[in-house]
Structures are given as structure tokens and as C-alpha cells.
Amino acid sequence: MATIKVIKTQTTDGQPIQFVDEIIGSGGMKDVYFSPDKSYVVAFFRDNQNYQAKDRLVTVVGAYRERILNQVGGEYWKNLFCWPYALVEHNGKLGVVAPTYQKQFFFEYGSKNNDFLGIKGKDKEGKWFASPTNRNRYIDSRELGDWQNHIRIGILISRAVKRLHAAGLAHSDLSYKNVLVNPINGAACIIDIDGLVVPGKFPPDVVGTPDFIAPEVVMTSYLKKDDPNRKLPNINTDRHALAVLIYMYLLYRHPLRGDKVHDMDPQKDEALSMGAKSLYVEHPTDTSNRIKVANAKPTELPWKDTSKIPYTVTGPYLTPLFQRAFIDGLHEPSKRPTADEWEVALVKTIDLIQPCQNTSCDQKWYVFENTTKPKCPFCGTPYKGKLPVLNLYSSRKEGQYLPENHRLMVYTNQSLFQWHTNRNVFPNERISDAQKKREGYFVLHNNVWYLVNEHMNDLMDVTDFNNKKVIPVGGKVELTEGKQLLFSRQEGGRLAVVQLVDGK
């Protein structure tokens, strides 16, 4: 048995540090080593870091980490960022010390056929789950999760990016290589924090990862870094990368990689396709960059067939954001949706999804379209049976309720929370434990739908204004067409109007 060599050194602030002298991973700039107990890693830069780069790292592991992770609510962010916490210098090389990724971000089963790819135990880079070929041909089905959890992944990534941007920071290399995901439970974690960009102070070290680099960065990449016309990664380029990530996690294809050829030279064609001539593959009027189904591999279908699974299957809240990201804002960065807008739209989309009635459906969930013949867009299974939809209204003045463009789909054991019953509560990092408590749930009994009241003290049936009925805690109310339910009389309390869809 080979002897394991453990190197002992110390961080730049004098704390003892150890690492095993064996590279466990290498990126574009760093080589990574485990600590003896694998509780942390040490990542050394292969190239010498200049004064500005070192100053950036000192600030990242110090002031920025303190501002985001060590203030009130910081515990929440520790799960969404793998943030380095110390610097180390050894044998003339500078490195960062960071916590080891959580266990859930390592493959448990890996690839199919007894892990023939050898990825069991490796970290779950998002690229494995954003490609239809990887999903259909390689990854063990027990690793894939479902479409609902891909929406949850999008929520967490958006929330994490929102936090960076609120602090005036840009990630600069947001991609599926630098986001770890767990589709089994919808978890996500952003890594490679050491390259953060602070506009006006710390410029980026890298321009990004192909597929996620904003067009304006690609277009000016030939210019020198100090050229005033050169576009470098910033918050707006993060917004482009975020939109691409969300699109790929939900639709398993790239929004700009169609079949239009701009130049016979592959390198020039790539630069044009991702830069000056970039065009949304689902552009409503310019169809020249459509994906040609005849050119797609069988393992890429049906996802590359945009006529079968268009981006509109993501529902009424995400569809306009994709339009803004890849039509209006593709070449006008200021028009791109913010991370906060993506988070809100994804949270509202979760309320619109319905479990597919086909138990063999790979995606298992879909956004329910209130049409005369609703069906799962992924496997084509039609919905059968009666289904309540709650259209939510909220009060601005006492007795006045205005529509919110927010609906809640009902299914067996679907839960009702305070963020449904009160517009002033939102399920984000600031929500309290008390606000996470379930308020009620829905159940189908003898072909009749009911809402069971668990904790709503104000729940009332107000369908008949002259005959309001209190629904006590522990009681239930039948959901019928036109039924009006007042959830709460507190400020921001919501009223729900029931619509009954009949999928025959």
C-alpha cells in the first residue's frame, strides 16, 4: 500500500492547515487537494497571482464572506455557497481553503451499467443533468430527480445570485460547471467564489465558460483587457448566464445553439453564433436558427424538437422572462431579467405544477395549462378528472380584493402555506420557522375535493356575502365552481376564488 503523504503548513493568518499530497481535481486555474479528514479542501493556483489577484482573494475570504455568511441569516447562505474561508501559501503557490462539498452533491450511483463512466463519488456538476443525452443515455435514473426539483434548483440558484448582486458582486463564471445540483431533492450550491468581480475595483480573472458567456463579452473578446470598448463579466453578464442555466435545467437544450451557420470556419462560426449574430432558437419571427430535428440524435429527442416541447411549457410566469432574456435582452443587457425576477417567477410556477397521471413519466410534473384538454407536455398523458384551481386575490383596502396573477393548482395532499394565504409572506431566505408551518391541505374524497383547515383562524366561506360561513381549525370546506374562500383578515390576507377544471 502506497504511503499517503500529508503536508502541514499554515494559512496566511497563521492557522495550521494540512492537505494530502494528491490532486483530487483540477480546473482551469487550480489544483485541488483534500485535507486528511476530507472536511475541507485546499486549492492552489497553478500560476502566480499578482498583487491585485491576491488583494481580491483577501477580500473574498474576509470582508465579503463576513458580510454574507457571518451576519444575521448567514447560516442560510452557507448552504448555497461553497465559500472559501482562508488563504494559504506553500512552495511559492497561493491557494484558498474551502469547506468540502456537502455529501448530497456527490454521485451516489453514478452512471448506468455499474457506473461505466466512473463518476460515482464525483461531484454533481450541473452539466450532467442539463443534457438530454446525458440523461437518456448515461446517468443512472436514480440520480435524475424530476421536473419539480429542477424548478427548485432554479429558485435556489436565482436566490444565491440575487444575494451576490445585492452585495454589488458578480460571479463572472456562472455556469453548470460552477453550480453543483442535487435533482433528488432540488438542492444547489454555487462554487468557485474566489473569482468574484467587484465593478470598479476587482476585474474578472476569466471571461466565463462557453455556452454561458454573454454575447457582448464574446464580441469584444479580441480586444485587450484595458481597452475601454472591451466588455468584461459583470452583473448583467451574470443575468445572461442565469437565464441560460434556468432554460437548460428545464428544457435540456441551449437557447442559442440552433442550426444556423454563419461561417464555414468553425471558430468564426462559434464566435458569431454566441456573439454578434446570436439568435434565440425559439425566436417568434426569425426562425433561421431553429433546431433541425433531422439533425438531432435520438437521445436528444424530444427535447430538441421545439415544436413538441416549446419554451412556453414553462408556464405564464417564466415564458415572458425567457422572451426578455433571449429576445429583448440578448443584445441589450439592461433589459435582461434580474435574479430576483427569476426567483419570484419560479416560486409562482411551483404553484402551477401538477403531478402527471402517468406513473412512468420521466419528468413526473408539469405546468398545468388551463385548456379544454389539459395534458402533460412531456409524455402526452391527458389529465382526467375534476381539478380545482385557486385564483388568488389580495386586499389593498379593507373589503377590496384585487387579482394578483397568481394561481394555485390543487392535487391530493397539496399543502397551503402562509405565502399562499398572505401576499406579505414570501418563501425566501427571510421566512421565519413559524411562517413555514402548513396552514392546510387538499384532499379528494369520494370524488369531492376538500380543503382541510389546520391553522387558519380566519378561514371563511364568503361566497354568499349575506351568509358567510366560518371554517374552524380542524374543519373542511368543499371546493366547488365559484366558491370564494377568505384565508385571512390580516393585512395582505388573500381571497381565493375556485375554478373547477373538468378533464374528461
Side-chain angles (χ1 to χ4, degrees):
M1 181 181 293
T3 302
I4 298 177
K5 183 180 179 182
V6 176
I7 296 176
K8 298 180 180 181
T9 182
Q10 63 182 24
T11 62
T12 53
D13 60 359
Q15 299 300 310
I17 205 84
Q18 301 180 51
F19 63 92
V20 177
D21 192 15
E22 179 184 3
I23 296 175
I24 60 165
S26 293
M29 301 173 65
K30 300 186 291 289
D31 295 321
V32 184
Y33 302 79
F34 264 136
S35 65
D37 64 357
K38 297 186 178 180
S39 64
Y40 60 85
V41 297
V42 182
F44 285 103
F45 291 90
R46 286 191 289 276
D47 297 332
N48 290 331
Q49 301 296 295
N50 60 24
Y51 173 80
Q52 188 177 50
K54 186 172 181 178
D55 189 27
R56 178 217 307 273
L57 292 170
V58 168
T59 308
V60 167
V61 303
Y64 296 143
R65 186 175 189 276
E66 174 69 24
R67 187 184 307 173
I68 292 178
L69 267 60
N70 290 341
Q71 302 297 323
V72 175
E75 285 299 317
Y76 180 87
W77 300 113
K78 288 179 182 178
N79 291 320
L80 291 188
F81 296 108
C82 187
W83 204 291
Y85 56 85
L87 298 185
V88 58
E89 290 188 71
H90 181 74
N91 286 347
K93 291 196 173 186
L94 183 66
V96 292
V97 184
T100 301
Y101 307 145
Q102 296 176 31
K103 184 179 179 181
Q104 65 172 324
F105 295 120
F106 293 93
F107 280 106
E108 182 178 356
Y109 304 102
S111 56
K112 295 178 179 178
N113 302 324
N114 294 318
D115 190 32
F116 79 100
L117 287 180
I119 59 174
K120 183 177 180 179
K122 300 290 181 65
D123 45 288
K124 294 183 180 181
E125 286 186 3
K127 66 178 181 180
W128 292 111
F129 305 100
S131 156
T133 297
N134 285 343
R135 299 178 62 85
N136 291 332
R137 188 174 178 183
Y138 300 126
I139 303 301
D140 189 299
S141 61
R142 292 170 291 184
E143 303 275 14
L144 294 177
D146 56 43
W147 206 66
Q148 180 188 54
N149 283 337
H150 276 237
I151 298 176
R152 296 188 188 282
I153 286 169
I155 291 172
L156 293 181
I157 297 171
S158 300
R159 190 169 293 159
V161 172
K162 176 188 72 175
R163 183 65 187 92
L164 289 179
H165 291 178
L169 305 171
H171 186 279
S172 82
D173 192 11
L174 196 63
S175 73
Y176 48 38
K177 285 187 67 65
N178 291 329
V179 177
L180 303 181
V181 299
N182 181 10
I184 303 302
N185 64 1
C189 180
I190 294 183
I191 63 174
D192 270 12
I193 301 296
D194 49 77
L196 290 176
V197 173
V198 183
K201 184 176 182 182
F202 296 129
D205 286 330
V206 295
V207 295
T209 299
D211 276 351
F212 300 93
I213 305 173
E216 64 271 20
V217 176
V218 176
M219 289 167 59
T220 61
S221 60
Y222 67 94
L223 298 173
K224 292 182 178 180
K225 264 193 173 183
D226 57 357
D227 190 310
N229 294 315
R230 173 83 182 265
K231 304 298 182 184
L232 295 171
N234 55 46
I235 287 175
N236 274 332
T237 65
D238 271 3
R239 289 173 179 167
H240 172 78
L242 176 62
V244 174
L245 270 173
I246 294 169
Y247 184 93
M248 293 189 74
Y249 280 135
L250 295 181
L251 297 166
Y252 311 142
R253 59 178 180 255
H254 194 279
L256 306 181
R257 291 199 177 279
D259 284 320
K260 186 172 186 176
V261 177
H262 299 278
D263 197 287
M264 296 310 295
D265 181 326
Q267 201 166 6
K268 291 180 181 178
D269 183 62
E270 171 72 7
L272 290 170
S273 297
M274 293 294 108
K277 300 293 185 179
S278 56
L279 177 66
Y280 187 30
V281 296
E282 299 188 75
H283 196 288
T285 56
D286 188 343
T287 62
S288 61
N289 196 35
R290 285 285 191 272
I291 298 171
K292 296 176 182 176
V293 178
N295 294 343
K297 301 174 184 175
T299 54
E300 294 176 323
L301 297 174
W303 299 99
K304 282 205 168 182
D305 187 344
T306 56
S307 64
K308 284 190 176 181
I309 304 184
Y311 73 105
T312 51
V313 303
T314 60
Y317 308 126
L318 294 175
T319 292
L321 293 192
F322 284 131
Q323 292 167 347
R324 283 174 53 196
F326 303 130
I327 299 174
D328 305 330
L330 187 61
H331 296 287
E332 292 188 56
S334 63
K335 293 184 177 181
R336 293 168 187 162
T338 66
D340 180 61
E341 289 178 294
W342 283 111
E343 180 192 7
V344 170
L346 287 159
V347 167
K348 291 173 71 174
T349 299
I350 281 281
D351 287 340
L352 276 188
I353 62 173
Q354 183 72 199
C356 181
Q357 293 179 328
N358 173 13
T359 56
S360 298
C361 179
D362 289 338
Q363 303 308 309
K364 297 180 175 59
W365 297 84
Y366 63 97
V367 173
F368 190 88
E369 284 296 326
N370 189 17
T371 61
T372 54
K373 295 182 179 180
K375 65 178 182 179
C376 173
F378 306 125
C379 71
T381 301
Y383 179 85
K384 294 183 179 179
K386 292 184 178 180
L387 184 70
V389 181
L390 304 189
N391 295 286
L392 302 181
Y393 296 74
S394 65
S395 60
R396 303 298 193 274
K397 294 181 180 180
E398 187 174 354
Q400 294 184 358
Y401 290 87
L402 300 175
E404 288 198 7
N405 187 29
H406 189 172
R407 302 161 72 202
L408 177 65
M409 300 302 305
V410 171
Y411 49 85
T412 298
N413 293 324
Q414 159 76 305
S415 296
L416 192 70
F417 293 96
Q418 282 193 37
W419 55 84
H420 299 129
T421 63
N422 192 304
R423 70 180 179 89
N424 293 330
V425 179
F426 190 78
N428 59 18
E429 71 280 2
R430 292 183 292 274
I431 195 168
S432 68
D433 288 339
Q435 291 171 329
K436 295 177 185 177
K437 196 172 184 180
R438 191 170 74 170
E439 299 276 272
Y441 64 92
F442 301 91
V443 64
L444 179 65
H445 180 67
N446 291 334
N447 207 35
V448 176
W449 283 101
Y450 294 97
L451 166 61
V452 179
N453 183 8
E454 290 183 296
H455 298 289
M456 291 176 282
N457 295 319
D458 295 338
L459 181 61
M460 296 179 67
D461 179 347
V462 297
T463 309
D464 183 350
F465 185 79
N466 296 314
N467 187 27
K468 300 176 183 178
K469 300 175 183 177
V470 174
I471 313 299
V473 172
K476 66 181 186 298
V477 57
E478 182 179 348
L479 302 179
T480 56
E481 178 69 32
K483 179 72 63 86
Q484 296 184 31
L485 299 174
L486 179 63
F487 293 138
S488 171
R489 286 179 290 185
Q490 296 179 359
E491 181 183 355
R494 282 193 170 116
L495 173 79
V497 178
V498 179
Q499 175 187 356
L500 207 60
V501 178
D502 194 353
K504 297 178 180 178

